[in-house]
Amino acid sequence: MQLSIIVLNYNVRYFLELCLQSVEQAIKGLSAEIIVVDNNSPDTSCSMVKQQFPSVKLIENKENIGFAKANNQAVAVAKGEYVCILNPDTVVTENTFISVLEKATQLPNLGLLGVRLIDGKGLFLPESKRNLPTPKVSFLKIMGARFSHLAPYYVNTILPNGEGEIAILVGAFMVCKKEVYQKVGGFDEDYFMYGEDIDLSYKIEKAGFKNYYLGKESVVHFKGESTLKDKVYRKRFFGAMKLFYKKHFKSSGIVNLFIYTGIKFSALLQTAKKQPETIDFKTHILLSKNELLLKQIGKTLKEIVGVHHSEVLQEYAVKNEFTCCMLDMNYISYEKAIQLLEKYKDTSLYFRFIPKNKQFATGSDTSTGRGQVLKWE
């Protein structure tokens, strides 16, 4: 077994189904397994996995034991030489794991390997490549853009589509050898949620391995679906970063006071941001040749236009009117779908994914707001 893909789920059933469909397509021809750990989701995630993905190994926890402990639980039973930690609100391409494994075998002394993450609109997520958040880096980031260039939080020496060594990767998608993961003790279970990826990246780097960013591969991370900025987020984020600094940086009381105050202020700013409202689309498009599907969706969305060629989308993009394009994943590849997101990221064209042979569509219009699920009969 070459690769074990570990997906930790909590209450994002429809996004999980889309994710698993894309993963199954991506591991065709590979020696790989999929492990889903469910942290006591109140929805129908577990029954869906059992019915729709019988080859997936499902671990059903009776309580939400947190991100770190659940992933460690899965790695312990993983059979792969490499493990991939993957969020349930992601979409990979048919070539993602082939390309990542090829690069992993070429890199000497590899620690973690990450890819270019984009949100549901196709916009690049800068947390895909980060510098170590030392007290100085974090403080200047909190102070704003006028000062952050003095010690950048995000890596700006590597382009989004470039590649190279970086310090910190994001837990939405990270690949490493199982033996490396276990050598450093995996995720620190003192973290419940947030901060674990920073901690693991730093531990692996301190152990003498090198973390690497591969920008030629794009993976969608809807993000807003699994990271809602509320008071619970604020409490967990503050606690996680406080733990990270206490664990890795021995500073004076004055410095610690500045850092902890800054972390709390940053978390408050995050939650104070007004969550974006749902977009009122003027037009809906279905990219498909399935006329029955068009009729079915038309009962829910009274005005929807069917198109057979992606080139037609350019006509809607230049109109500068909010348009939702629904992608039939029976009709186009995941690679093509992600290419469309990135091509039209700066336009008024937004996207939804329709998983193969399903009666729903999922997507997210921002990296901060809730994801969208549209169902029909």
Side-chain angles (χ1 to χ4, degrees):
M1 184 71 67
Q2 189 178 19
L3 177 65
S4 296
I5 301 157
I6 297 168
V7 183
L8 171 60
N9 178 68
Y10 178 74
N11 200 29
V12 287
R13 174 246 189 273
Y14 294 101
F15 287 87
L16 174 64
E17 188 167 0
L18 173 64
C19 173
L20 292 179
Q21 278 201 9
S22 73
V23 170
E24 282 199 335
Q25 193 71 23
I27 62 173
K28 286 185 176 180
L30 292 176
S31 176
E33 65 176 349
I34 305 171
I35 303 173
V36 171
V37 187
D38 187 84
N39 266 347
N40 197 30
S41 294
D43 60 16
T44 59
S45 291
C46 289
S47 59
M48 179 275 294
V49 172
K50 292 175 184 176
Q51 294 170 11
Q52 303 296 329
F53 304 94
S55 64
V56 169
K57 182 171 185 178
L58 175 64
I59 300 174
E60 297 181 71
N61 290 325
K62 300 306 178 185
E63 61 179 316
N64 188 348
I65 62 175
F67 183 89
K69 189 176 291 187
N71 276 296
N72 288 346
Q73 183 182 17
V75 173
V77 299
K79 298 177 181 178
E81 178 186 1
Y82 291 89
V83 294
C84 174
I85 307 299
L86 185 69
N87 268 28
D89 56 342
T90 55
V91 179
V92 301
T93 74
E94 291 81 358
N95 193 56
T96 296
F97 297 119
I98 296 173
S99 180
V100 166
L101 286 174
E102 181 181 9
K103 176 59 71 172
T105 58
Q106 295 172 354
L107 293 170
N109 207 30
L110 175 65
L112 293 169
L113 176 60
V115 297
R116 180 174 71 235
L117 296 174
I118 61 174
D119 65 15
K121 182 66 179 74
L123 297 171
F124 174 68
L125 293 172
E127 61 265 30
S128 302
K129 47 186 182 71
R130 291 174 286 178
N131 291 307
L132 179 67
T134 63
K136 178 181 178 180
V137 168
S138 299
F139 181 74
L140 291 175
K141 182 177 185 293
I142 292 165
M143 293 298 292
R146 290 177 57 190
F147 302 95
S148 61
H149 69 282
L150 300 173
Y153 182 80
Y154 302 116
V155 175
N156 54 23
T157 54
I158 301 174
L159 294 174
N161 63 349
E163 59 181 73
E165 292 180 26
I166 62 172
I168 306 298
L169 293 173
V170 63
F173 185 106
M174 50 171 56
V175 171
C176 72
K177 282 191 172 182
K178 180 179 177 180
E179 64 179 7
V180 172
Y181 186 95
Q182 293 181 318
K183 181 176 181 179
V184 300
F187 286 117
D188 186 336
E189 295 181 7
D190 287 340
Y191 296 88
F192 181 82
M193 186 177 291
Y194 309 117
E196 309 94 332
D197 50 359
I198 299 175
D199 185 86
L200 179 65
S201 298
Y202 190 38
K203 286 195 302 182
I204 286 178
E205 191 177 60
K206 287 200 300 181
F209 299 97
K210 295 180 179 179
N211 299 327
Y212 202 86
Y213 171 75
L214 182 62
K216 72 173 185 177
E217 291 299 324
S218 293
V219 169
V220 177
H221 181 205
F222 293 111
K223 188 181 175 182
E225 181 59 22
S226 59
T227 317
L228 190 64
K229 304 296 190 293
D230 56 15
K231 62 181 181 181
V232 176
Y233 163 84
R234 183 171 68 243
K235 181 179 179 180
R236 289 176 176 169
F237 175 81
F238 173 68
M241 295 312 296
K242 186 175 180 180
L243 174 61
F244 177 76
Y245 284 111
K246 183 178 181 180
K247 179 179 176 182
H248 295 291
F249 295 95
K250 307 297 183 182
S251 304
S252 67
I254 296 296
V255 172
N256 285 337
L257 178 62
F258 271 110
I259 293 300
Y260 295 161
T261 302
I263 292 169
K264 199 162 189 176
F265 179 66
S266 177
L268 282 167
L269 284 179
Q270 292 261 24
T271 55
K273 292 179 181 178
K274 184 178 179 181
Q275 297 299 322
E277 298 178 359
T278 302
I279 296 175
D280 184 17
F281 293 111
K282 184 170 184 178
T283 307
H284 284 81
I285 304 169
L286 173 65
L287 182 56
S288 174
K289 283 188 176 180
N290 190 332
E291 296 299 327
L292 177 59
L293 179 62
L294 181 64
K295 291 179 180 179
Q296 290 173 333
I297 300 175
K299 294 177 181 179
T300 301
L301 298 174
K302 298 305 180 183
E303 295 184 8
I304 183 167
V305 179
V307 298
H308 296 169
H309 302 288
S310 61
E311 290 77 9
V312 179
L313 301 183
Q314 182 65 33
E315 299 176 14
Y316 291 90
V318 298
K319 289 181 179 180
N320 202 30
E321 298 174 348
F322 287 128
T323 302
C324 180
C325 178
M326 307 179 75
L327 305 172
D328 177 5
M329 301 315 300
N330 265 317
Y331 182 62
I332 66 170
S333 67
Y334 292 99
E335 182 176 11
K336 179 63 176 178
I338 291 176
Q339 288 174 352
L340 290 174
L341 263 66
E342 293 189 297
K343 179 178 180 179
Y344 294 109
K345 64 181 183 295
D346 296 321
T347 72
S348 56
L349 195 59
Y350 293 76
F351 292 88
R352 300 287 184 268
F353 290 76
I354 305 175
K356 293 181 179 180
N357 306 317
K358 298 301 174 182
Q359 301 297 100
F360 67 89
T362 62
S364 181
D365 301 327
T366 71
S367 61
T368 56
R370 277 291 192 192
Q372 306 293 322
V373 178
L374 175 69
K375 305 175 192 176
W376 58 86
E377 296 298 329

